[in-house]
Amino acid sequence: MKSVFSLVILALLALVTAETHTWYYTANWVDGVNPDGVFERRMIGFNGSWPLPTLRVKKGDRVNFYLTNGFDDRNTSLHFHGMFQRGTNQMDGPEMVTQCPIPPGETMLYNFTVDEQVGSYWYHSHTSGQYGDGMRGVFIIEEPSKDDYPYDYDEEVVLTLNEHYHEESDKLMPKFLSRFNPTGAELIPQNILFNETRNVTWKVEPNKTYLLRIINTGRFLSQYVWMEDHDMTIVEVDGVYVERNTTNLIYITVAQRYTVLVTTKNSTDKNYAFMHRLDPDMLDTQPDDLQLNGTNTIMYNEELGEAESYDLTQDEIDAYFDDYYLVPLNKEKLYDDADYTVTIQVQMDNLGDGINYAFFNNITYTKPRVPTLLTVLSAGDEATNELVYGTNTNTFVLQKDDVVDIVLNNLDTGKHPFHLHGHVFQLIERHEPIDDDEDPVAFNASDHAEWPEYPMMRDTVFLQPQSYMVLRFKADNPGVWLFHCHIEWHLDQGLAIQLVEDPMGIQNNATQQITDNHKEICEKVGVPWKGNAAGNDVNLLDLSGENVQHKRLPTGFTAKGIVALVFSCVAGVVGLAAIAFYGMHDIENVEERVARDLAIDLEDEDDSAEIVRQTSSTEGSSTHKH
Ligand SMILES: *[C@@H]1O[C@H](CO)[C@@H](O)[C@H](O)[C@H]1NC(C)=O
Ligand SMILES: *[C@@H]1O[C@H](CO)[C@@H](O)[C@H](O)[C@H]1NC(C)=O
Ligand SMILES: *[C@@H]1O[C@H](CO)[C@@H](O)[C@H](O)[C@H]1NC(C)=O
Ligand SMILES: *[C@@H]1O[C@H](CO)[C@@H](O)[C@H](O)[C@H]1NC(C)=O
Ligand SMILES: *[C@@H]1O[C@H](CO)[C@@H](O)[C@H](O)[C@H]1NC(C)=O
Ligand SMILES: *[C@@H]1O[C@H](CO)[C@@H](O)[C@H](O)[C@H]1NC(C)=O
Ligand SMILES: *[C@@H]1O[C@H](CO)[C@@H](O)[C@H](O)[C@H]1NC(C)=O
Ligand SMILES: *[C@@H]1O[C@H](CO)[C@@H](O)[C@H](O)[C@H]1NC(C)=O
Ligand SMILES: *[C@@H]1O[C@H](CO)[C@@H](O)[C@H](O)[C@H]1NC(C)=O
Ligand SMILES: *[C@@H]1O[C@H](CO)[C@@H](O)[C@H](O)[C@H]1NC(C)=O
Ligand SMILES: *[C@@H]1O[C@H](CO)[C@@H](O)[C@H](O)[C@H]1NC(C)=O
Ligand SMILES: *[C@@H]1O[C@H](CO)[C@@H](O)[C@H](O)[C@H]1NC(C)=O
Ligand SMILES: [Cu+2]
């Protein structure tokens, strides 16, 4: 009796203290920003300022975020990265997955609660290229009081990491997704950013413990993070508290968060370097003028000036902390064996338009004509039939409360950071990287490693080159959740699948119904809010008119054909400087890469190879290097 009474009191208290945070912001360009101190450009800000504000809420609060599209020439959207959005799937953000894009002049209300989560998160546009242009910010969910935090600390500090391009995404993306870039070489950034700028001074006091929230809000590159003569104790990853584990070096992919405790020295007789470095293995080429390292100062004493940079050897870098070994503080056990397994292989390949795409199995994610959540809501009993979601959206329907394994086999030679919306998952196995000159290794269910008793959990995790990993989660959150590579280049190449979790549970829930505000946005932007992936709401099984990927290359049309074509076109039309600009410095290497991507034997066709070499030898540009 007494305990029931106190529970009621507690519930009432929670109601009393839960706050609604109402924010109104207009997204638009901000002119004359100079994040890296060497190049002025415009960035996407809120209400005329950039960088974007850090939003803070407490567990149990409600968020009412009114986003107005202030651009005159583009749609937008907003994703709160890592939020479960339980019962509020349409507030998740990705356009054509859970919502219609917001057209210029319109306002969308993102209305959700944060009942179950705490920790470091972030928010960003989920419309191509926009977050790389600056539309990104930090979102912190605090415990109701600092005493509820499981670890002691004195002060909390936020730190975002990023890479930076001098050009806008509107210029970059067409160059990347182009037949003139047949190997899909990602464009190279011009700089590395620390807290959205460079050469930062972090003023600290001696003998204090700082809770440092490190968030990679980049669009492409992982970063190494280390400090001169200071350790970092990891206590939280992607909003999941972990048992403390101390390291001197963190490897953080885009979209990941590491919250660490740093205890300062007792004396103020020295300042120390705070270093970070872009992962060079993810770059196709490394221009001489690209600074991989950023040097910042842990400032104990202003009179002593900035710290000198502090290097690690390659061996030390290679010994970065592997997040696989972290243990969730709540000791969540390995879930039961999977009820359902999604096995997907990652592959990069060219389609008939000559462009290099990314595939899960043989499908490159192609947007449906109706946002998938709105198809769920309007498809009646057919919502459980994968067909209504289209043949090119890579959609999997999951049963309520199933334990699901995602097995990822990587046929590509690159690392990829994968993110699941609406969940954290257990990383139950991750195989080491396989060298370029060996064959990719795939997961074998009847011959797997021993799985941990308490697997590490988070929402973004990297997959090693030509290797595999297995993720496990519970389908306990009805909604449509995107699972994708968080490298913007690769998402735009189509490296995504959609998980439709418990479609009938979505349909039958009052809180999941389309809001009037959302319906109006769809009408204004001209996207139907009902029907199958082809927009057909009469015959749900008729998908004629759906968006589909380009046709495959005709047989006989070879990689070297593309390369020869590309180089003669580029040389003729744009000039050879453009080749270097596109990142294809080493022409013979390009040829090999295309051949490998297309599984073609180079020995057979010497003529087109000759064309390629001749083209390359006429080149005299100083940016070309071997
Ligand atoms: C942003 O601008 C809008 C109007 O342009 C204003 O109503 C709103 O209060 C501003 N938001 C903040 C947080 O200042
Ligand atoms: C950082 O330092 C570099 C090299 O000294 C300088 O060129 C750049 O302008 C600085 N950037 C900022 C934002 O202070
Ligand atoms: C906004 O989205 C709609 C629907 O996908 C599309 O037709 C329109 O071209 C987009 N607007 C812009 C400016 O890109
Ligand atoms: C609707 O969704 C919420 C959040 O997931 C859940 O708590 C509630 O039980 C659901 N209602 C029904 C009728 O399924
Ligand atoms: C936000 O959602 C809650 C729950 O569905 C609803 O009661 C409230 O009216 C919504 N807020 C606004 C401003 O629409
Ligand atoms: C990063 O920027 C935020 C917001 O301006 C600031 O509160 C924080 O102290 C900065 N972090 C570091 C390490 O300087
Ligand atoms: C460090 O701080 C602790 C309390 O937080 C205090 O007891 C101790 O004397 C301090 N030591 C120095 C060297 O300042
Ligand atoms: C600072 O001094 C305290 C005792 O006063 C000691 O416990 C702590 O280890 C010292 N910290 C460092 C970084 O030396
Ligand atoms: C920066 O990074 C590179 C790794 O490519 C390394 O060789 C170099 O010495 C680093 N340090 C500094 C201070 O530039
Ligand atoms: C800490 O990490 C190491 C690997 O770096 C691992 O062996 C150890 O089990 C971890 N301990 C905890 C408590 O997370
Ligand atoms: C993928 O392959 C399957 C079977 O091999 C085939 O049915 C399907 O049409 C292919 N899809 C695409 C988009 O090529
Ligand atoms: C998977 O492992 C089993 C057991 O070791 C083995 O018999 C089988 O050949 C393996 N399959 C593949 C495709 O390697
Ligand atoms: Cu990727």
Side-chain angles (χ1 to χ4, degrees):
M1 196 59 205
K2 200 178 159 204
S3 70
V4 169
F5 183 70
S6 53
L7 273 180
V8 169
I9 294 285
L10 276 177
L12 283 175
L13 270 178
L15 275 181
V16 171
T17 54
E19 205 184 318
T20 298
H21 301 263
T22 306
W23 284 292
Y24 292 88
Y25 279 114
T26 300
N28 202 352
W29 293 105
V30 179
D31 286 326
V33 188
N34 194 343
D36 60 359
V38 295
F39 187 84
E40 199 173 285
R41 57 160 288 180
R42 56 177 194 168
M43 300 289 283
I44 300 176
F46 278 174
N47 277 19
S49 16
W50 187 88
L52 304 190
T54 293
L55 305 177
R56 275 180 191 276
V57 301
K58 286 196 161 47
K59 188 176 178 182
D61 287 353
R62 179 173 287 279
V63 172
N64 274 190
F65 190 106
Y66 291 85
L67 176 71
T68 300
N69 180 343
F71 300 108
D72 51 22
D73 62 348
R74 69 199 62 213
N75 301 322
T76 193
S77 60
L78 198 64
H79 169 56
F80 289 84
H81 184 112
M83 296 294 90
F84 290 164
Q85 300 288 7
R86 198 178 297 279
T88 51
N89 186 215
Q90 74 185 298
M91 305 301 166
D92 191 42
E95 56 175 55
M96 301 316 285
V97 179
T98 59
Q99 70 164 91
C100 297
I102 309 167
E106 293 303 306
T107 299
M108 168 122 177
L109 166 61
Y110 291 91
N111 176 6
F112 57 94
T113 57
V114 291
D115 300 329
E116 313 166 56
Q117 295 176 275
V118 285
S120 309
Y121 300 88
W122 60 302
Y123 60 92
H124 62 85
S125 168
H126 222 290
T127 302
S128 172
Q130 291 180 356
Y131 92 76
D133 281 335
M135 194 164 160
R136 55 191 183 233
V138 174
F139 188 82
I140 305 289
I141 309 177
E142 297 172 349
E143 289 283 6
S145 105
K146 189 166 168 251
D147 296 338
D148 297 319
Y149 201 86
Y151 298 101
D152 286 337
Y153 63 91
D154 298 306
E155 261 184 67
E156 185 223 285
V157 182
V158 165
L159 167 62
T160 61
L161 304 176
N162 227 300
E163 76 280 288
H164 183 59
Y165 291 79
H166 289 165
E167 270 195 301
E168 291 171 17
S169 298
D170 278 2
K171 294 233 175 66
L172 298 173
M173 209 47 94
K175 276 186 213 166
F176 171 65
L177 283 180
S178 158
R179 55 151 57 85
F180 300 117
N181 182 20
T183 62
E186 298 82 9
L187 303 199
I188 311 289
Q190 278 67 50
N191 227 323
I192 180 170
L193 297 183
F194 186 95
N195 235 9
E196 302 289 24
T197 181
R198 297 209 58 187
N199 323 321
V200 171
T201 291
W202 175 33
K203 290 195 183 120
V204 298
E205 287 178 40
N207 192 21
K208 282 225 147 69
T209 298
Y210 289 84
L211 183 79
L212 185 62
R213 300 178 180 278
I214 308 171
I215 307 176
N216 187 338
T217 60
R219 70 164 82 168
F220 178 20
L221 296 170
S222 303
Q223 296 198 17
Y224 296 97
V225 182
W226 71 97
M227 298 171 186
E228 177 182 6
D229 208 9
H230 289 66
D231 282 339
M232 295 174 275
T233 298
I234 303 168
V235 294
E236 180 219 313
V237 286
D238 300 357
V240 177
Y241 288 132
V242 293
E243 293 195 343
R244 33 164 82 227
N245 208 322
T246 300
T247 178
N248 65 335
L249 178 64
I250 281 170
Y251 181 79
I252 181 169
T253 74
V254 294
Q256 284 186 331
R257 290 88 67 204
Y258 276 92
T259 302
V260 302
L261 296 172
V262 178
T263 298
T264 54
K265 308 277 180 202
N266 286 328
S267 83
T268 59
D269 54 10
K270 185 178 184 316
N271 293 333
Y272 297 83
F274 193 153
M275 305 292 299
H276 61 145
R277 178 182 298 175
L278 301 174
D279 178 358
D281 293 346
M282 298 172 82
L283 299 171
D284 270 39
T285 54
Q286 202 179 311
D288 291 335
D289 58 353
L290 174 65
Q291 257 308 328
L292 290 176
N293 306 300
T295 301
N296 306 279
T297 301
I298 305 175
M299 180 80 83
Y300 284 83
N301 184 338
E302 285 181 56
E303 283 162 21
L304 299 176
E306 290 177 6
E308 297 285 318
S309 61
Y310 175 80
D311 255 336
L312 294 182
T313 63
Q314 190 58 45
D315 284 350
E316 287 169 320
I317 286 281
D318 292 341
Y320 66 84
F321 186 86
D322 183 344
D323 60 351
Y324 174 83
Y325 295 104
L326 291 170
V327 176
L329 191 60
N330 69 1
K331 289 281 181 87
E332 179 94 58
K333 283 215 157 113
L334 174 69
Y335 299 140
D336 292 343
D337 285 349
D339 301 299
Y340 184 75
T341 300
V342 177
T343 301
I344 39 186
Q345 55 187 35
V346 177
Q347 203 165 6
M348 309 306 222
D349 203 349
N350 300 72
L351 288 178
D353 56 358
I355 293 176
N356 189 271
Y357 289 91
F359 299 82
F360 270 134
N361 300 338
N362 56 355
I363 295 170
T364 182
Y365 173 80
T366 308
K367 282 181 181 149
R369 290 191 183 277
V370 175
T372 300
L373 173 62
L374 303 183
T375 298
V376 172
L377 290 172
S378 59
D381 290 344
E382 294 293 356
T384 56
N385 183 346
E386 277 166 8
L387 187 63
V388 301
Y389 305 111
T391 55
N392 267 223
T393 58
N394 249 331
T395 300
F396 299 83
V397 172
L398 307 179
Q399 312 277 331
K400 183 172 168 36
D401 294 328
D402 267 4
V403 173
V404 179
D405 277 0
I406 301 182
V407 175
L408 277 136
N409 291 319
N410 189 1
L411 302 187
D412 182 57
T413 53
K415 286 176 205 160
H416 299 270
F418 283 100
H419 169 48
L420 175 58
H421 287 226
H423 290 275
V424 289
F425 46 73
Q426 299 182 324
L427 173 63
I428 65 178
E429 186 165 353
R430 177 167 53 201
H431 194 266
E432 63 199 22
I434 303 295
D435 277 351
D436 285 18
D437 54 10
E438 289 172 44
D439 288 336
V441 173
F443 175 67
N444 180 344
S446 47
D447 184 21
H448 65 74
E450 196 185 329
W451 289 331
E453 190 177 6
Y454 309 110
M456 191 272 295
M457 300 180 76
R458 66 189 315 168
D459 64 39
T460 306
V461 74
F462 65 84
L463 171 65
Q464 295 279 25
Q466 301 208 108
S467 177
Y468 63 82
M469 66 179 176
V470 185
L471 314 178
R472 179 169 289 184
F473 68 98
K474 266 191 200 147
D476 58 1
N477 188 10
V480 179
W481 306 114
L482 200 61
F483 176 78
H484 63 97
C485 177
H486 216 289
I487 295 176
E488 277 264 276
W489 308 116
H490 300 170
L491 179 55
D492 277 35
Q493 278 178 297
L495 203 48
I497 64 173
Q498 299 189 134
L499 301 174
V500 175
E501 212 169 302
D502 186 16
M504 300 325 276
I506 303 172
Q507 275 184 14
N508 298 330
N509 198 315
T511 69
Q512 299 270 24
Q513 304 309 306
I514 182 170
T515 64
D516 291 343
N517 169 231
H518 187 182
K519 207 181 279 186
E520 195 179 311
I521 284 165
C522 296
E523 278 161 6
K524 286 267 169 55
V525 79
V527 171
W529 49 269
K530 53 185 176 185
N532 64 18
N536 191 331
D537 63 344
V538 179
N539 183 354
L540 287 156
L541 299 181
D542 178 4
L543 283 150
S544 47
E546 69 167 333
N547 294 330
V548 289
Q549 66 197 43
H550 277 271
K551 288 211 163 54
R552 301 232 153 228
L553 278 170
T555 40
F557 196 76
T558 64
K560 282 200 302 183
I562 298 182
V563 175
L565 186 81
V566 164
F567 282 87
S568 51
C569 289
V570 171
V573 180
V574 197
L576 274 160
I579 294 174
F581 196 71
Y582 291 133
M584 292 182 270
H585 295 249
D586 188 329
I587 287 178
E588 284 177 54
N589 186 331
V590 166
E591 189 187 323
E592 278 163 24
R593 284 194 45 149
V594 176
R596 194 177 55 227
D597 286 347
L598 296 174
I600 283 166
D601 188 357
L602 280 176
E603 309 306 79
D604 291 345
E605 296 177 349
D606 271 279
D607 292 354
S608 45
E610 203 46 43
I611 296 172
V612 170
R613 289 196 192 101
Q614 275 167 15
T615 315
S616 93
S617 65
T618 57
E619 203 243 312
S621 157
S622 59
T623 46
H624 180 93
K625 59 171 196 181
H626 276 285

